[in-house]
Amino acid sequence: MNVAVIGANGGIGRELLPRLDDAGHDPIGIVRDESQFDEIRDRGGEPRLGDLEGEFADALEACDAVVFTAGSGGDTDWGKTLLIDLWGARRSIDACVEQGIDRFVMISSFNASEPLGEPEAMRPYWVAKRCADDFLEASPLEATILRPTALTDDEGTGHVSSAFEYPGESGASIPRADVAQAVVASLENEDTVGETIRLFGGETPIDTAVQPEN
Ligand SMILES: NC(=O)c1ccc[n+]([C@@H]2O[C@H](COP(=O)([O-])OP(=O)(O)OC[C@H]3O[C@@H](n4cnc5c(N)ncnc54)[C@H](OP(=O)(O)O)[C@@H]3O)[C@@H](O)[C@H]2O)c1
């Protein structure tokens, strides 16, 4: 599968490209700066330029699936949260619909399930993530929404815990590498289409953890 990664130069994106490559897919790394192209190639991806606040849709040409793992980050104001985490996500979904790209994996956030949680200062971000998720769910795309808890740069363990839809308290933090592996596992498991899966650190092999409890 040609899998476009939006946010390919980010923490999860960097972990995801080689894992997609190793799994036999053709990753396309979408970045907003040409100086990042070599890094994308080194990680097994085909680099393409795309800015969620500017020219972007052409970067998705001939893709079979899209992973949204971009984000405005913690050092920007809420304006960027609206523009990237909400509107950028919506533009990505719209572009997929327009171009006939059916498969979409969204990296959301654990607290998007309940955006009015604590700390209060995080609520605008969680609301943005939740609204992006809701827009995706209402779209015709074959979507999987992954909602990880706090991310770390620790080495991947190959194991996580999961909760489908809304039950459960926030669990242990999770390495970005394990979230990236959960993306690959989701793309390769049709049963995850239409599912919202909360992810946190744990002991279940990732392939098993993303399998819905039918
Ligand atoms: N941090 C957490 O604890 C946490 C928890 C749950 C969920 N999440 C979500 O997980 C995802 C990945 O998080 P992360 O910490 O791994 O990401 P990250 O390192 O913050 O990377 C985000 C990426 O988004 C890109 N980006 C920002 N604005 C863009 C634009 N206008 N157009 C195109 N790309 C743009 C950045 O590009 P540049 O490299 O050019 O800056 C960067 O590569 C995000 O969706 C985040 O909301 C994070």
Side-chain angles (χ1 to χ4, degrees), residues 7 9-12 32 36 50-53 69-71 84-85 107-109 125 129 148-151 176:
N9 191 53
I12 290 176
R32 53 181 172 167
Q36 298 164 344
D51 184 344
L52 290 166
E53 292 188 78
T69 186
I84 307 301
D85 300 276
I107 305 298
S108 178
S109 172
Y125 165 68
K129 297 295 273 184
T149 186
L151 305 174
R176 286 178 169 85

Side-chain angles (χ1 to χ4, degrees), residues 105-123:
V105 177
M106 174 71 85
I107 305 298
S108 178
S109 172
F110 201 89
N111 285 74
S113 301
E114 290 168 38
L116 297 186
E118 300 294 339
E120 186 177 348
M122 292 296 291
R123 292 177 182 174

Side-chain angles (χ1 to χ4, degrees), residues 67-86:
V67 180
F68 186 94
T69 186
S72 55
D75 297 329
T76 57
D77 61 21
W78 294 130
K80 286 293 180 194
T81 305
L82 275 181
L83 287 166
I84 307 301
D85 300 276
L86 179 51

